[in-house]
Amino acid sequence: EATIGSRFCAFYFDRIEENQWKTISTFLVRPNCEAIRTSPHEFRILFMDQTIITSSTPRETGLLNKFTPFDYIVDDVVGNDTLVGK
């Protein structure tokens, strides 16, 4: 799970799309303790001024986290067992 703060939203808005593979470097890692989460992962990635994102080749996803599309969260069509934290 990655968090892009409001300061960077406009910059990344049209540069990142769901289901695209990206390589992210130079970022912060923090506990993922938000009430609404897109994955059950314990930690999240935070973007910063030095964060670099490049395109990447697709990889097998079977062993990775199961992510929920953001639209499902907004439309409230997903159960809260994965999305709602503590």
Side-chain angles (χ1 to χ4, degrees), residues 16-20 68-71:
I16 300 175
E17 294 181 27
E18 279 187 315
N19 299 317
Q20 287 184 338
T68 301
F70 185 71
D71 292 346

Side-chain angles (χ1 to χ4, degrees), residues 22-63:
K22 301 289 184 184
T23 298
I24 305 171
S25 56
T26 314
F27 53 86
L28 298 172
V29 176
R30 296 284 189 257
N32 189 12
C33 53
E34 300 296 320
I36 297 177
R37 300 160 53 169
T38 58
S39 80
H41 201 279
E42 183 179 355
F43 296 98
R44 62 189 175 129
I45 294 171
L46 291 144
F47 284 38
M48 46 195 250
D49 289 329
Q50 299 85 358
T51 298
I52 299 169
I53 297 180
T54 56
S55 295
S56 178
T57 56
R59 294 179 173 86
E60 174 61 41
T61 61
L63 300 176

